[in-house]
Amino acid sequence: MKECLIFIIDALKDLAPLFISVIAIWLTTRYQNHSKKMETDRMLKELFAEFNERYDKINNKLDVISKLSVEQWNELSQTKQSENEGVIVDFFNICAEEYYWHKEGRINGNIWTSWEKGMNDIYNRSEIIQNIWEQECQNSGFQSYYITKPNTFFKVSKI
């Protein structure tokens, strides 16, 4: 009996480093996963705040532009049209960047679905915005927006 107990104690002594290593690996992995999640959440918050801030800067102008008819657009001065086209291209850039970060896994599906709906609501209510998007897409210009097809994030349809 004493020999059996000594054998078990010796075996436990030999296995103790292995057991401690397994626990250390488990704790390290758990800590790394938690740190990764915290960093992902931090990045998502930063992206969310940045995109919302940038969108807020153009939102009112974009709303006015999206309500213009083609006739009203054509009555604008060349300077005003150029200024408004700049706002629309800023909108396209925000959409492209949101799409890019979604594809990279930095923006989760729920947020992307919401943003995509908002993007398409604006796009679909304005023939002006649709026309400028079509101009941007000519000669593969859409590729400058990190996409391989023009209808990647906008539903290409006329009003």
Side-chain angles (χ1 to χ4, degrees), residues 133-150:
W133 179 246
E134 287 177 9
Q135 291 169 13
E136 288 286 309
C137 291
Q138 290 176 353
N139 301 316
S140 300
F142 57 87
Q143 292 175 340
S144 66
Y145 293 99
Y146 323 112
I147 56 177
T148 57
K149 301 181 296 212

Side-chain angles (χ1 to χ4, degrees), residues 32-49:
Q32 287 175 335
N33 289 341
H34 181 69
S35 295
K36 183 179 177 183
K37 179 170 179 6
M38 285 178 41
E39 184 58 33
T40 299
D41 290 347
R42 186 179 1 266
M43 180 177 226
L44 177 58
K45 181 181 177 189
E46 288 172 10
L47 288 171
F48 192 82

Side-chain angles (χ1 to χ4, degrees), residues 18-36:
L18 177 63
F19 182 70
I20 291 170
S21 296
V22 168
I23 290 174
I25 290 170
W26 178 77
L27 288 171
T28 301
T29 302
R30 189 167 176 196
Y31 175 78
Q32 287 175 335
N33 289 341
H34 181 69
S35 295
K36 183 179 177 183

Side-chain angles (χ1 to χ4, degrees), residues 4-20:
C4 186
L5 188 57
I6 292 173
F7 175 77
I8 292 173
I9 291 173
D10 286 341
L12 288 176
K13 284 181 185 176
D14 292 339
L15 292 176
L18 177 63
F19 182 70
I20 291 170

Side-chain angles (χ1 to χ4, degrees), residues 81-124:
Q81 282 184 7
S82 293
E83 180 184 308
N84 287 339
E85 283 180 19
V87 171
I88 294 168
V89 169
D90 286 346
F91 169 66
F92 295 159
N93 283 322
I94 292 169
C95 295
E97 290 172 39
E98 289 173 350
Y99 175 76
Y100 173 82
W101 287 113
H102 168 66
K103 284 308 204 188
E104 289 294 311
R106 301 293 197 279
I107 296 174
N108 73 36
N110 292 333
I111 293 172
W112 170 248
T113 299
S114 175
W115 283 353
E116 184 181 35
K117 182 188 179 317
M119 291 165 22
N120 279 290
D121 286 349
I122 292 167
Y123 177 81
N124 286 320

